């Protein structure tokens, strides 16, 4: 990580390959470390969206893109990956300004975005079509074709990585993509547009349209030309988009919220478990869909484990995202901090005991930023609202459990089903519990580790569909069966003479 500073994107939108000033509602991107303004820009209006869609339709149908073979499309993705890698420090700087995340984390997110483009270049170049088993006098095939126009709608917490997770497979699959990032973090997606433009992707195939969800987001979901929506965000928004997609009979993937359980058995390696629990909840200041926000500790070690956890939490370094020593940076902004603080107040009302944190850190360097101390709450029942609802901040609830059956029942007694962590040295037990938990991802003796090769997604209120992995490409294509007749005789049914 360097100490260089970079110019932020100038605030123009990338509308079907043209840099244009938006005509929608104003967006103010702020740096949550000190409340300073990064950029004031006009978001995308419906008109801007309509223009981007018209350009995308033309670009997607152009033989210059439509007729490319998979390995030729792969070259664009590789060039985009190269472009991201050449700009890691700049992207990290922009995203840290945009989201308040530490430079270490935004660097890792930029590197993961480059890896995602590289991975899907490899996937599309090596994905075979199927010659299916013949059951008659015809060759039977199953082939995959682009959907056409895909909308990618992303949240503010890890923009460059969630953008790449959608844009890379969708372009690899031969589509045009309209990306709508959150208004709280518009800048890094606009930087991605610059890199994609520089990589030479034909004009019109990619747009970046930050703006109000109910205006531009809604247009992208409702518009008849959009054939698929890939959404990451909150459960309430996801449900609404799912309903709209249902009416259109449009495929949609929904990566939504979570309230993920972490389970600590008494036979765990305690140091490993404490480090994993802390990273699982307090990295990204808890603003992570997969945050391990509900901790279950076996009663035999509960007091000891929780005491050590609290002591380790109090050693975490809260500070500026530009300070390399910082572990817990500010939240995305002041409005969101208030929402998290409302949950801490609720935890108190529900009878919870705040074991550590629960307030804003004070002193120079903190007072004008959206900082909040890492917070641990005990004494609540698993059915309290604090334990049921996603807080999306640095707030951990801890609960004791009696045995395997009890912890499986408590873990699954929640609307969400995104992730789970298990800490134990008993391998058969880890396997049994992993299979019994309602979650799209389970980590055993580790947490919050990701690989682009492993499908990811949620169940129940955490969404539907999977991203990543080789099958991630196919989610952006239509599958078609082709029967190629081999007989030279007419089909026997008609009476031709
Ligand atoms: P959000 O649902 O408020 O917004 C997400 C995106 O949807 C934004 O771009 C927003 O502008 C847009 N949007 C809002 N209303 C819309 C509408 N009516 N039509 C179309 N688009 C609309 O979520 P957020 O606050 O930006 O993000 C935090 C949430 O995202 C948390 O719940 C978190 O768990 C979830 N998340 C999930 C994953 C995952 O992979 N499961 C990853 C990251 C974040």
């Amino acid at each position: 990580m360097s100490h260089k500073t970079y110019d932020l994107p100038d605030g123009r939108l990338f509308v079907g390959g043209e840099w244009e000033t938006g005509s929608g509602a104003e967006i103010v991107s702020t740096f949550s470390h000190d409340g300073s303004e990064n950029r004031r820009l006009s978001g995308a209006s419906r008109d801007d969206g309509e223009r981007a869609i018209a350009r995308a339709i033309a670009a997607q149908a152009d033989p210059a893109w439509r007729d490319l073979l998979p390995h030729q499309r792969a070259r664009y993705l590789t060039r985009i990956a190269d472009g991201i890698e050449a700009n890691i420090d700049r992207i990290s700087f922009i995203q840290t300004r945009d989201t308040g995340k530490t430079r270490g984390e935004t660097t890792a997110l930029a590197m993961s975005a480059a890896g995602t483009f590289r991975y899907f270049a490899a996937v599309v170049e090596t994905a075979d079509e199927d010659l299916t088993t013949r059951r008659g006098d015809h060759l039977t095939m199953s082939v995959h074709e682009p959907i056409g126009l895909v909308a990618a709608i992303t949240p503010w917490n890890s923009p460059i990585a969630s953008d790449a997770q959608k844009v890379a497979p969708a372009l690899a699959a031969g589509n045009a993509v309209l990306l709508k990032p959150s208004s709280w973090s518009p800048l890094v997606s606009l930087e991605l547009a610059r890199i994609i433009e520089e990589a030479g992707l034909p004009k019109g195939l990619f747009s970046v349209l930050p703006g109000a969800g109910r205006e531009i987001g809604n247009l992208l979901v409702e518009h008849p030309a959009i054939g698929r929506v890939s959404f990451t965000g909150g459960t309430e928004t996801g449900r609404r988009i799912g309903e709209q997609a249902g009416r259109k009979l449009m495929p949609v993937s929904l990566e939504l919220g979570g309230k993920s359980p972490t389970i600590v058995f008494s036979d765990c390696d305690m140091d490993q478990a404490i480090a994993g629990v802390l990273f699982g909840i307090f990295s990204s200041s808890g603003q992570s869909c997969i945050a391990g926000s509900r901790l279950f500790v076996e009663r035999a070690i509960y007091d000891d484990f929780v005491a050590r956890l609290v002591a380790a939490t109090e050693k975490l370094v809260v500070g500026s995202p530009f300070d390399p020593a910082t572990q817990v940076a500010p939240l995305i902004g002041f409005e969101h901090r208030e929402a998290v603080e409302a949950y801490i107040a609720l935890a108190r009302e529900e009878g919870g005991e705040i074991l550590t944190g629960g307030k804003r850190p004070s002193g120079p360097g903190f007072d004008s930023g959206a900082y909040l101390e890492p917070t641990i709450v005990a004494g609540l029942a698993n059915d309290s609202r604090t334990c049921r609802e996603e807080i999306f901040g640095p707030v951990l609830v801890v609960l004791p459990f009696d045995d395997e059956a009890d912890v499986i029942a408590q873990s699954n007694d929640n609307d969400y089903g995104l992730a789970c962590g298990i800490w134990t040295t008993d391998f058969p037990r880890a396997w049994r519990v992993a299979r019994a938990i309602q979650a799209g991802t389970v980590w055993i003796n580790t947490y919050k580790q990701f690989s682009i090769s492993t499908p990811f997604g949620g169940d129940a209120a955490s969404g539907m569909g999977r991203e990543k992995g080789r099958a991630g490409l196919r989610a952006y294509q239509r599958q078609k069966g082709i029967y190629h007749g081999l007989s030279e005789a007419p089909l026997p049914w008609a009476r031709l003479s």
Side-chain angles (χ1 to χ4, degrees):
M1 192 217 312
S2 74
H3 295 288
K4 265 178 88 169
T5 58
Y6 297 89
D7 287 340
L8 297 171
D10 66 12
R12 284 177 301 158
L13 313 184
F14 196 56
V15 184
E18 305 292 341
W19 289 100
E20 295 175 358
T21 300
S23 56
E26 186 179 60
I27 294 174
V28 185
S29 157
T30 50
F31 180 36
S32 62
H33 164 62
D34 57 10
S36 61
E37 198 172 296
N38 291 322
R39 189 64 79 207
R40 203 168 269 267
L41 56 136
S42 301
S45 64
R46 291 183 71 87
D47 283 352
D48 299 329
E50 294 277 7
R51 239 175 15 266
I53 289 171
R55 289 171 187 165
I57 293 171
Q60 205 273 332
D62 188 327
W65 178 248
R66 192 195 58 204
D67 294 347
L68 285 188
L69 295 169
H71 71 282
Q72 296 168 319
R73 290 201 298 266
R75 282 187 207 143
Y76 284 108
L77 274 86
T78 305
R79 283 212 289 274
I80 295 168
D82 292 343
I84 294 173
E85 272 167 12
N87 286 281
I88 294 278
D89 200 51
R90 173 194 300 274
I91 295 169
S92 160
F93 176 86
I94 294 170
Q95 184 155 330
T96 289
R97 292 290 305 228
D98 223 4
T99 61
K101 278 176 179 260
T102 63
R103 287 280 260 140
E105 194 183 337
T106 54
T107 300
L109 289 169
M111 278 162 43
S112 114
T116 300
F117 277 94
R118 244 179 243 304
Y119 177 81
F120 280 108
V123 169
V124 72
E125 186 155 353
T126 57
D128 289 326
E129 301 290 10
D130 293 327
L131 190 63
T132 54
T133 308
R134 281 181 59 200
R135 293 180 70 92
D137 207 5
H138 32 252
L139 277 183
T140 45
M141 290 163 255
S142 181
V143 299
H144 299 84
E145 296 173 351
I147 287 172
L149 266 56
V150 168
I153 303 180
T154 54
W156 47 262
N157 61 323
S158 306
I160 187 85
S162 37
D163 293 356
Q165 225 164 282
K166 299 176 187 315
V167 174
L171 286 177
N175 300 290
V177 186
L178 298 106
L179 169 64
K180 197 213 89 63
S182 165
S183 299
W184 283 1
S185 59
L187 298 181
V188 79
S189 306
L190 292 168
E191 177 63 12
L192 179 64
R194 187 190 67 76
I195 290 168
I196 290 184
E197 182 184 39
E198 244 176 51
L201 188 79
K203 255 184 198 304
L205 288 173
F206 184 56
S207 289
V208 177
L209 305 166
R214 288 193 176 255
E215 186 174 5
I216 182 70
N218 195 49
L219 171 81
L220 295 177
V221 177
E222 292 279 354
H223 199 287
I226 302 288
R228 186 187 200 281
V229 170
S230 176
F231 172 79
T232 300
T235 297
E236 206 182 308
T237 319
R239 238 185 256 287
R240 184 190 155 106
I241 290 176
E243 283 166 12
Q244 290 169 288
R247 277 198 296 278
K248 255 176 89 176
L249 294 180
M250 170 179 71
V252 63
S253 58
L254 303 171
E255 303 276 3
L256 311 178
K259 187 78 179 182
S260 299
T262 297
I263 300 168
V264 175
F265 285 103
S266 55
D267 63 2
C268 71
D269 176 318
M270 266 222 211
D271 285 347
Q272 272 197 21
I274 288 170
V277 169
L278 288 182
F279 181 67
I281 179 65
F282 296 130
S283 59
S284 315
S285 303
Q287 302 164 115
S288 168
C289 56
I290 38 134
S293 50
R294 238 176 355 136
L295 174 64
F296 293 101
V297 183
E298 195 165 357
R299 212 176 283 280
I301 58 162
Y302 181 86
D303 290 340
D304 186 23
F305 188 89
V306 172
R308 289 188 58 189
L309 188 73
V310 167
T313 301
E314 287 170 355
K315 286 195 202 134
L316 292 173
V317 179
V318 181
S320 161
F322 280 100
D323 181 343
T326 293
Q327 292 164 289
V328 182
L331 303 188
I332 179 84
F334 302 97
E335 191 183 328
H336 184 58
R337 179 173 64 178
E338 275 175 27
V340 175
E341 286 174 329
Y343 269 109
I344 296 174
L346 174 71
R348 286 199 171 96
E349 275 166 38
E350 289 186 310
E353 182 192 354
I354 310 291
L355 300 182
T356 186
K359 57 186 190 320
R360 303 173 182 184
S362 57
F366 291 125
D367 291 347
S368 47
Y371 285 93
L372 194 59
E373 287 178 351
T375 300
I376 300 182
V377 187
L380 289 169
N382 190 36
D383 63 0
S384 62
R385 275 187 56 208
T386 313
C387 289
R388 297 197 73 81
E389 298 178 15
E390 183 183 51
I391 299 177
F392 221 60
V395 182
L396 175 70
V397 290
V398 289
L399 302 103
F401 71 88
D402 294 320
D403 56 26
E404 201 176 304
D406 175 33
V407 80
I408 291 170
Q410 289 202 67
S411 297
N412 285 343
D413 183 14
N414 191 276
D415 294 337
Y416 292 107
L418 193 58
C420 170
I422 300 170
W423 296 89
T424 177
T425 49
D426 179 339
F427 178 80
R429 173 153 69 189
W431 176 253
R432 280 195 306 273
V433 176
R435 300 306 297 258
I437 294 291
Q438 168 177 285
T441 299
V442 176
W443 285 287
I444 299 168
N445 293 335
T446 187
Y447 202 84
K448 217 175 167 186
Q449 301 303 305
F450 273 129
S451 159
I452 184 64
S453 60
T454 306
F456 174 80
D459 297 329
S462 293
M464 57 189 212
R466 294 290 179 266
E467 291 188 324
K468 304 184 176 182
R470 294 183 71 81
L473 174 76
R474 297 306 191 202
Y476 292 95
Q477 293 180 316
R478 298 183 207 281
Q479 197 165 8
K480 181 180 279 178
I482 298 182
Y483 289 66
H484 193 138
L486 297 175
S487 169
E488 285 174 17
L491 289 175
W493 184 76
R495 292 179 185 175
L496 299 178
S497 53

